Amino acid sequence: MLNIRPGGRYIDCTLGGGGHGLGVLEASGPGGRLLGLDADPEAVLTAGRRLEAYRERLVLAQVNFSEIMEQVKGTEFYPADGIVMDLGMSSIQLDTSGRGFSFQRNEPLDMRFDPSQELKASDVVNRYTLDQLSNVLFQFGELPRSKKIASAIIHSRPFATTTELTVLLRKLLGNQRRKTNPATQAFQAIRIAVNKELENLESGLNDAIKILGSGRRIVVISYHSLEDRIVKGVFRKAASDCVCPPKMPVCVCNHVREVRLITKKPVFPTPLEVLGNPRSRSARMRVAEHV
Ligand SMILES: C[S@@+](CC[C@H](N)C(=O)[O-])C[C@H]1O[C@@H](n2cnc3c(N)ncnc32)[C@H](O)[C@@H]1O
């Protein structure tokens, strides 16, 4: 989907374990270059080791992609020949970071992508007011009865570890027969709040579109409907010649279309891919091309 060509300049905004980065470097050889970003310094280190063989063609930076414009302005990566965003957390963060991303492990309540940031999951859980906490659970976890859950958390706090929180969530929500475990949704909600994921996505995506060269593509993979709604909205707006409110009799916005949509609907993994990589099951990809 990125239409990678030899010698191109590409940006991976979410380097993670370096899988996409490796694919881009291989396909853009011999002269292609990659700027790899991640908010998590450990991801930058791990991916750097994995991509060691390509270090001549690789630039790495520990940075939030909401700052992509500042990062690339005046560099060889502006304009870029292709940009990829693979949102959320990585398998490494979930399985081995020890930073509390998984409700199946007993770890401190942290969940920061960038450990130098102040706000941690323990602050959200132990300090937020009832309204703040129930808003997080409702808006970012789409949990019904969010006020009741928030109130129960407040009555049982402080929480130090993921297991302490999971035990309470299980008691409250039971092991209901649902597609996703309710603890998954609560953990997702807290993680999104800690890392300001939706705000950063909206601003980073808007800037990334502006960084693309003409005819070049941006590929975004999201993992839940909240992310996908933002990607869809930003792409739709960027693909439109007018963004005036529908009641406006004449256009006054002077908006100019920046992209065309390559995927009218999100693309889902095939059953075969899900079989080989079960964590891909909730992925959906959208692609736009700069005009
Ligand atoms: C799903 S993983 C990416 C996996 C990667 N594509 C690979 O092939 O291994 C998402 C990564 O994006 C990072 N991330 C999430 N939001 C970010 C943001 N706003 N800015 C920078 N990195 C971010 C996370 O720290 C995580 O390492």
Side-chain angles (χ1 to χ4, degrees):
M1 282 290 188
L2 270 179
N3 274 346
I4 300 175
R5 49 195 100 192
R9 306 273 185 266
Y10 297 91
I11 306 175
D12 182 348
C13 295
T14 49
L15 200 55
H20 287 143
L22 181 63
V24 169
L25 283 162
E26 280 174 350
S28 63
R33 292 179 62 79
L34 176 73
L35 170 64
L37 311 177
D38 204 294
D40 181 348
E42 276 191 32
V44 175
L45 279 178
T46 313
R49 278 195 291 271
R50 182 170 181 193
L51 304 174
E52 177 64 22
Y54 297 93
R55 69 168 179 277
E56 315 270 284
R57 304 205 268 124
L58 177 64
V59 180
L60 297 174
Q62 187 235 326
V63 72
N64 196 297
F65 61 59
S66 61
E67 289 158 36
I68 188 172
M69 191 55 98
E70 294 85 324
Q71 190 66 31
V72 302
K73 238 184 185 165
T75 75
E76 59 182 321
F77 295 99
Y78 189 13
D81 290 309
I83 300 180
V84 58
M85 283 185 180
D86 182 14
L87 302 172
M89 64 184 162
S90 68
S91 289
I92 303 173
Q93 285 164 334
L94 190 66
D95 298 333
T96 60
S97 73
R99 280 188 265 153
F101 289 102
S102 168
F103 66 87
Q104 287 167 327
R105 297 176 179 278
N106 191 18
E107 294 172 352
L109 278 168
D110 184 324
M111 299 197 198
R112 291 169 298 179
F113 290 149
D114 174 0
S116 72
Q117 170 190 303
E118 227 167 82
L119 185 75
K120 296 183 203 169
S122 55
D123 297 318
V124 173
V125 173
N126 294 327
R127 290 169 189 240
Y128 272 23
T129 63
L130 179 63
D131 276 351
Q132 285 175 315
L133 193 54
S134 64
N135 272 344
V136 164
L137 297 172
F138 183 69
Q139 285 180 10
F140 303 149
E142 300 183 308
L143 274 167
R145 301 193 294 136
S146 57
K147 198 148 203 164
K148 209 169 155 199
I149 302 165
S151 158
I153 291 176
I154 285 171
H155 279 103
S156 311
R157 65 193 190 186
F159 293 87
T161 66
T162 47
T163 301
E164 288 170 15
L165 182 61
T166 306
V167 167
L168 176 73
L169 289 170
R170 286 233 165 91
K171 227 188 282 165
L172 284 174
L173 302 162
N175 283 322
Q176 298 164 10
R177 281 174 178 256
R178 292 204 285 185
K179 239 169 74 190
T180 45
N181 187 314
T184 312
Q185 285 164 272
F187 270 61
Q188 170 190 295
I190 297 165
R191 196 199 78 217
I192 290 176
V194 167
N195 295 292
K196 300 196 169 41
E197 289 179 40
L198 303 182
E199 282 168 60
N200 289 335
L201 173 58
E202 184 152 9
S203 69
L205 193 52
N206 273 305
D207 280 349
I209 287 172
K210 298 196 169 21
I211 290 164
L212 275 181
S214 170
R216 307 300 199 236
R217 290 181 175 182
I218 179 162
V219 174
V220 187
I221 303 172
S222 53
Y223 292 86
H224 50 79
S225 54
L226 298 166
E227 286 173 339
D228 187 53
R229 214 172 292 153
I230 291 175
V231 181
K232 182 177 167 185
V234 170
F235 276 5
R236 276 229 175 124
K237 196 167 170 192
S240 163
D241 267 327
C242 171
V243 294
C244 288
K247 281 189 185 145
M248 218 58 153
V250 286
C251 172
V252 291
C253 69
N254 294 326
H255 191 264
V256 180
R257 182 165 87 109
E258 293 168 285
V259 300
R260 76 184 176 96
L261 303 181
I262 299 299
T263 51
K264 305 277 182 261
K265 296 227 157 80
V267 177
F268 295 95
T270 61
L272 195 64
E273 179 168 6
V274 175
L275 207 62
N277 175 14
R279 282 182 183 162
S280 71
R281 67 186 175 278
S282 51
R284 52 208 96 173
M285 176 176 69
R286 291 184 186 266
V287 185
E289 184 177 283
H290 205 281
V291 290

